[in-house]
Amino acid sequence: MPILMNNEMMREIIMDHYSHPSHKHMPADLASYETVHMHSDNCIDDIDVYLKIENEIVVDALFEGVACAISTASTDIMCELLIGKTKTDALYIIEQYFHMIHEEKYDESVLDEALAFMNTSKQAARIRCAIIGWSAAEKIIEENTDDKKR
């Protein structure tokens, strides 16, 4: 069931994930994770995203680095949403998030707290911040195969 949010709830979700991100740390076993580094020319965002994919399932998602509130919160929420999903389902969630960010039709039922970023397009300079972690995860999933490690 979709979450109904007002602006205050959106701010609270973003600030909670920025102040207390659950998934912001290095993996203990780095060798078992796929990694993509992302940075922004417009913001302080400079992060590494780590996904552990086993048997076509995202079993863990983490990130590390320096990032603004929007980037940190959106990436932390993304990690929560992707863990336990098949690669196909994870790519669908990412696609729906991108549609939302770009004010296109999207399936809000799969976005949960990521809906806090539904107004990001009103601040064009923040779009890159809101998608940087999601773009990294998309790249990892699309390029992931069982016999290929970057």
Side-chain angles (χ1 to χ4, degrees), residues 129-148:
C129 302
I131 68 168
I132 194 166
W134 296 75
S135 297
E138 179 183 50
K139 181 175 176 146
I140 291 170
I141 295 167
E142 287 179 344
E143 294 181 358
N144 177 270
T145 62
D146 292 334
D147 58 0
K148 179 182 166 190

Side-chain angles (χ1 to χ4, degrees), residues 2 6 8 39-40 47 70 75 90 93 116-117 131 135 138 146:
N6 61 34
E8 183 60 31
H39 73 279
S40 174
I47 64 171
I70 298 295
T75 303
I93 292 167
F117 299 94
I131 68 168
S135 297
E138 179 183 50
D146 292 334

Side-chain angles (χ1 to χ4, degrees), residues 1 4 7 21 38 43 61 68 118:
M1 173 174 244
L4 298 175
N7 287 337
M38 300 291 276
C43 193
C68 69
M118 69 175 64

